[in-house]
């Protein structure tokens, strides 16, 4: 079955049934060698357009309905932060290249195109509303010109910054649906605002779709969105829809800043990757919780999105992604070895507890919890590169934290 494309509008599609998002671009493209870990900025849209285009194609083929222009962290202050050179391409250059790429591959397939903005270094450094909203508007100029189908404001640890972004986008692009997504857990944002309340604040700021992305595994993100749903509904916003784009890594042990605090972030997270069967379970639970925009963030590869599409195929009018698993591994019936053929069932894969092959690794890790955020000198951002002195300060702080721990444990 082809993608059901009768309805053009994003919000109308959400009213009708589940809408599948795409996966994580910075993580997927870093692994392929096109994005630099650290800044995580999207200059690949200019430097390696073919790589970005191919990833959009693969997410679409896996069943994504919404493709997000690869403009993550493309605010001017972030492109130039700490000696980063991506600023030379300019915000407009990057965003236009991203729009050209995503429109070319998405529209022929009947998908929708999202523009995107995300947290800015200016917020944690200044908490100056006018300055932060000016950064947002610079990025939106291109999205407005390109008439994107929706905007995704994503990846905020502070609900206050998300509210400012939503207000700015709504004001600058009236009529364009706006999604607002925080990277917080089931408890609070990093200022201690309860997660459910954060949802209400975003609704008041004018967001049409509200939810969570990144930082935590699918099941912790589900718990967080459920809290938002409860509070937003209780506050009387009955037209608001909900979204979820979690990590593809299991993070039961992650603390306040999610996977960033895990010692494995960002280069050794592989043992935590969710299986496609865990993704199917996640998609089902999200749909049953009433969430209609369901996708992925860091760690999600196209086959994870395919698992979501397959799970929700009936709810999407029988749409089947290309090269699906055909009934939980029915294809394995064609294997030459009988013990592999015997794995051709839903039951087998649903009940499997996969081994990690690492007899000395533990299931949980100990998080870095430095307890500092906006306002602390080590958190302030600037254009100069991180010099030896600044690096030394961070290492000294690390040592102090370790000593505190020795005292506490003594
Ligand atoms: O890449 C994407 O798909 C974006 N839509 C979301 C990225 S989530 C954030 C990753 C950056 C982490 C960091 O700053 O260390
Ligand atoms: Zn992410």
């Amino acid at each position: 079955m082809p993608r059901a494309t009768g309805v053009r509008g994003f919000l109308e599609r959400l009213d009708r049934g589940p809408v599948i998002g795409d996966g994580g671009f910075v993580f997927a493209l870093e692994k392929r060698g096109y994005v630099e870990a650290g800044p995580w900025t999207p200059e690949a849209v200019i430097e390696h357009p073919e790589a970005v285009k191919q990833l959009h194609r693969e997410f679409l083929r896996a069943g994504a309905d919404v493709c997000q222009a690869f403009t993550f962290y493309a605010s001017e202050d972030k492109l130039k932060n700490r000696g980063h050179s991506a600023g030379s391409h300019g915000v407009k250059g990057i965003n236009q290249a991203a729009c050209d790429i995503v429109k070319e591959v998405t529209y022929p397939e009947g998908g929708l195109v999202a523009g995107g903005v995300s947290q800015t270094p200016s917020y944690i450094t200044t908490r100056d509303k006018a300055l932060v909203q000016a950064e947002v508007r610079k990025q939106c100029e291109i999205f407005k010109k390109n008439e994107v189908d929706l905007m995704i404001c994503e990846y905020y640890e502070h609900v206050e910054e998300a509210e400012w972004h939503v207000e700015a986008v709504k004001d600058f692009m009236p009529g364009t649906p706006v999604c607002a997504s925080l990277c917080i857990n089931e408890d609070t944002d990093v200022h201690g605002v309860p997660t459910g309340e954060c949802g209400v604040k975003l609704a008041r700021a004018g967001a049409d779709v509200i939810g969570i992305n990144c930082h935590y595994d699918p099941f912790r993100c589900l718990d967080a969105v459920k809290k938002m749903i409860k509070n937003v509904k209780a506050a009387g916003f009955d037209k608001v829809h909900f979204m979820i784009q979690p990590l593809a890594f299991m993070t039961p042990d992650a603390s306040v800043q999610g996977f960033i605090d895990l010692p494995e972030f960002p280069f050794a997270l592989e043992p935590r990757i969710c299986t496609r069967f865990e993704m199917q379970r996640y998609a089902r639970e999200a749909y049953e919780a009433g969430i209609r925009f369901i996708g992925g963030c860091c760690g999600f590869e196209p086959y994870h999105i395919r698992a979501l599409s397959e799970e929700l195929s009936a709810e999407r009018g029988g749409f089947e992604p290309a090269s699906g698993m055909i009934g939980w591994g029915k294809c394995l019936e064609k294997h030459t070895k009988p013990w592999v053929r015997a794995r051709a069932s839903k039951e087998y894969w649903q009940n499997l507890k996969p081994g990690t092959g690492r007899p000395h690794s533990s299931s949980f890790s100990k998080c870095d919890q430095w307890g500092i955020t906006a306002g602390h000198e080590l958190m302030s951002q600037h254009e100069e590169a991180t010099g030896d002195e600044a690096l030394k300060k961070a290492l000294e702080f690390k040592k102090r934290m370790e000593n505190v721990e020795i005292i506490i444990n003594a």
Side-chain angles (χ1 to χ4, degrees), residues 242-264:
F242 296 91
M243 67 181 287
I244 181 164
Q245 309 229 56
L247 292 180
F249 305 111
M250 286 300 191
T251 64
D253 45 344
S255 57
V256 280
Q257 299 207 350
F259 77 147
I260 311 273
D261 293 350
L262 292 173
E264 298 93 345

Side-chain angles (χ1 to χ4, degrees), residues 136-350:
V136 175
R137 274 192 294 272
K138 269 184 248 170
Q139 299 167 79
C140 287
E141 235 173 84
I142 298 293
F143 297 131
K144 187 171 179 171
K145 203 170 110 201
N146 283 270
E147 299 178 342
V148 295
D149 300 299
L150 62 140
M151 283 296 296
I152 301 180
C153 304
E154 66 175 354
Y155 197 67
Y156 306 95
E157 303 156 286
H158 307 261
V159 68
E160 181 180 56
E161 184 177 15
E163 291 172 77
W164 295 353
H165 283 222
V166 170
E167 279 172 20
V169 176
K170 274 268 152 196
D171 181 56
F172 195 76
M173 300 173 70
T176 304
V178 176
C179 302
S181 171
L182 307 179
C183 52
I184 65 171
N185 62 29
E186 53 290 82
D187 299 325
T188 65
D189 81 342
V190 298
H191 278 131
V193 183
T195 302
E197 228 170 88
C198 288
V200 177
K201 282 177 180 286
L202 295 172
R204 285 207 185 103
D208 301 287
V209 183
I210 292 168
I212 297 282
N213 79 299
C214 206
H215 275 199
Y216 297 93
D217 65 50
F219 305 98
R220 288 191 70 182
C221 288
L222 271 170
D223 286 344
V225 180
K226 282 180 190 166
K227 290 198 174 166
M228 289 178 155
I229 295 177
K230 195 167 158 239
N231 283 45
V232 169
K233 292 226 151 113
F237 293 96
D238 42 8
K239 283 215 178 67
V240 164
H241 273 292
F242 296 91
M243 67 181 287
I244 181 164
Q245 309 229 56
L247 292 180
F249 305 111
M250 286 300 191
T251 64
D253 45 344
S255 57
V256 280
Q257 299 207 350
F259 77 147
I260 311 273
D261 293 350
L262 292 173
E264 298 93 345
F265 175 86
F267 295 135
L269 288 160
E270 284 79 356
R272 293 173 177 265
I273 294 177
C274 298
T275 67
R276 57 188 88 192
F277 308 101
E278 287 161 336
M279 292 307 185
Q280 293 200 245
R281 180 155 66 84
Y282 144 60
R284 179 57 51 200
E285 286 181 25
Y287 181 72
E288 277 167 10
I291 303 169
R292 289 293 170 265
F293 185 21
I294 302 170
C297 203
C298 302
F300 262 77
E301 292 285 337
Y303 77 101
H304 290 120
I305 294 297
R306 196 171 84 209
L308 311 184
S309 313
E310 282 174 350
E311 180 62 33
L312 297 173
S313 167
E315 287 78 5
R316 292 164 78 216
F319 171 75
E320 277 167 20
S323 177
M325 284 191 296
I326 326 166
W328 296 72
K330 199 166 164 42
C331 48
L332 296 182
E333 288 175 5
K334 294 181 206 153
H335 201 277
T336 52
K337 313 277 190 301
W339 56 92
V340 179
R341 294 200 292 273
R343 293 175 197 151
S345 77
K346 179 169 184 165
E347 225 174 21
Y348 173 86
W349 292 106
Q350 232 170 0

